[in-house]
Amino acid sequence: MKLRTVIKGIGHALPETVLTNDEISQFLDTNDEWIVQRTGIKERRVCKLPHEGTGFLASVAAKEAIERSGVDPEDIGLVLCATVSGDYPWPATACNVQDALGIPCPSAFDVSAACAGFIYAMDVAAAIIESGRVRHALVVGVDCLSKQVDWTDRSTCVLFGDAAGAVVVEGQENTDRGLIETATFSNGAGALHIAIEVGGSKYPFGSPQAEGKKACITMNGREVYRFAVKAMGDACERVLEKAGMTTDDVDLFVPHQANLRIIESASERLGLTEDRVFTNVQKYGNTSGGSVPLALYEAEQEGRLEKGMNVMTVGFGAGLVWGANLIKW
Ligand code: ACO
């Protein structure tokens, strides 16, 4: 029987500092009403303490996932970190997590797929597990975009927050649990709809080429919005089709938490009513790579995810990239 990639344990991490819309409106020309109406976001968490950052949050989430999984760290052969805001441009944050948790010499690398990062990383982990090369993998989704936004740009900074989520997955035979099907996509023609242009090899910091360009997140909000609604619906329809399932088979929909309006539009297109859709964007904003695993963690904590349920996760983001995973919990 085919090996299945089963989630054995899940963890999360959030920075201590809460930043509300009202607090932002004290230093920026914005207000709670505008932000809530356009995005659903009330507050977000931001890394303020000196020790808080991407590697730190990733390690805290990973530690909790390992503890809850009961898997011995020595048995983890693969560490994947889905992030676009690593502690350093390189080396990979996955190596930081490996070191912090003392996992002896696993394969470790980062997956760069922005807000679809966790969807992509689960796909990669499952492919490696199903090949039989490793039995256990640690998959972390984490981002600290509060460090990458321009805090004077009201059209972007209000949207994002910092968080991490992590899972330990195990290859198992003779089970129908685990990752059922996955579908991932990209379209690089939309690369500059949401990007950080400066700091790479094309526009190095301080270079003449970089003049006039920003070293923080720039976004064409309307384009991204249009793309997001279509991409989420398309990815979900594709993954369901591949699995021979329909939305009637989905017990819980856990979408990337970017914007409540985007989630509502995608859910409506898929015919999924509120009782089958999980949201926590109100409390955390868009936490990019951390968003889907954090939502899965909270859904489980709140008793909305139980063993045997079919959960559909979906993400979209910079690249442009998008994708969906179907998991039997
Ligand atoms: N407070 C008050 N006014 C604001 C704010 C703010 N925070 N931001 C923008 N405005 C103003 C604009 O200046 C504009 O004013 P004007 O008409 O006088 O010029 C007005 O509000 C309308 O601006 P729009 O950009 O048209 O607002 P829109 O309804 O499109 O909402 C938003 C903007 C919320 C950003 C929306 O476009 C969106 O959610 N897009 C998708 C973003 C997203 O999900 N990005 C994440 C991608 S995932 C990843 O990879 C990281």
Side-chain angles (χ1 to χ4, degrees):
M1 196 178 173
K2 191 184 166 212
L3 268 172
R4 293 291 288 265
T5 302
V6 177
I7 294 176
K8 290 276 290 177
I10 185 161
H12 80 301
L14 289 159
E16 281 183 31
T17 309
V18 176
L19 182 64
T20 64
N21 293 344
D22 286 335
E23 284 167 328
I24 295 180
S25 69
Q26 284 164 23
F27 61 84
L28 207 57
D29 179 17
T30 187
N31 56 76
D32 180 60
E33 194 190 344
W34 191 97
I35 301 170
V36 171
Q37 210 172 63
R38 306 287 174 123
T39 72
I41 300 165
K42 287 291 291 178
E43 60 188 42
R44 72 285 295 138
R45 299 290 187 95
V46 290
C47 288
K48 276 269 159 91
L49 304 177
H51 65 277
E52 290 179 331
T54 301
F56 172 77
L57 293 182
S59 301
V60 173
K63 187 166 184 287
E64 185 183 13
I66 292 174
E67 281 167 6
R68 295 182 77 209
S69 74
V71 170
D72 186 335
E74 299 220 347
D75 293 333
I76 294 174
L78 173 68
V79 177
L80 295 180
C81 206
T83 188
V84 286
S85 55
D87 282 352
Y88 313 106
W90 50 273
T93 301
C95 297
N96 181 326
V97 173
Q98 170 276 323
D99 180 46
L101 299 181
I103 303 168
C105 294
S107 172
F109 60 97
D110 287 356
V111 175
S112 174
C115 304
F118 187 74
I119 307 289
Y120 264 67
M122 282 293 283
D123 185 19
V124 173
I128 295 174
I129 283 175
E130 286 164 22
S131 78
R133 260 180 253 164
V134 303
R135 179 140 186 266
H136 295 100
L138 172 65
V139 184
V140 186
V142 58
D143 270 307
C144 294
L145 298 192
S146 74
K147 307 278 189 193
Q148 298 185 334
V149 292
D150 172 355
W151 281 100
T152 66
D153 175 7
R154 66 180 183 175
S155 66
T156 53
C157 73
V158 301
L159 304 175
F160 299 103
D162 306 337
V167 295
V168 172
V169 289
E170 178 180 79
Q172 291 184 5
E173 280 170 328
N174 304 317
T175 180
D176 63 349
R177 291 184 60 217
L179 196 67
I180 300 167
E181 198 49 86
T182 173
T184 50
F185 308 93
S186 65
N187 178 12
L192 295 187
H193 288 331
I194 175 163
I196 299 179
E197 284 190 78
V198 171
S201 62
K202 193 172 169 79
Y203 304 113
F205 288 114
S207 67
Q209 305 92 290
E211 225 162 273
K213 296 195 175 289
K214 288 176 85 174
C216 52
I217 297 173
T218 54
M219 183 179 73
N220 180 340
R222 286 199 180 162
E223 273 307 326
V224 175
Y225 191 98
R226 259 195 295 272
F227 151 70
V229 173
K230 180 166 174 0
M232 278 168 83
D234 289 353
C236 290
E237 283 175 7
R238 182 69 188 120
V239 82
L240 286 167
E241 182 188 303
K242 282 175 82 177
M245 293 163 73
T246 71
T247 43
D248 290 345
D249 300 309
V250 175
D251 296 303
L252 192 67
F253 180 43
V254 181
H256 168 46
Q257 307 286 313
N259 177 320
L260 204 53
R261 284 195 303 157
I262 294 177
I263 295 173
E264 283 166 0
S265 301
S267 305
E268 198 180 303
R269 170 175 157 186
L270 294 163
L272 286 160
T273 45
E274 219 176 293
D275 53 314
R276 285 194 288 159
V277 180
F278 186 83
T279 62
N280 62 7
V281 64
Q282 302 87 338
K283 292 186 288 180
Y284 306 122
N286 178 348
T287 60
S288 187
S291 153
V292 168
L294 176 65
L296 287 171
Y297 175 88
E298 288 207 333
E300 191 185 64
Q301 290 290 304
E302 290 172 21
R304 291 190 62 187
L305 255 186
E306 286 167 19
K307 222 173 173 175
M309 278 187 170
N310 291 326
V311 50
M312 181 163 67
T313 59
V314 65
F316 64 89
L320 298 167
V321 288
W322 62 105
N325 289 334
L326 266 174
I327 302 164
K328 189 172 278 295
W329 200 249

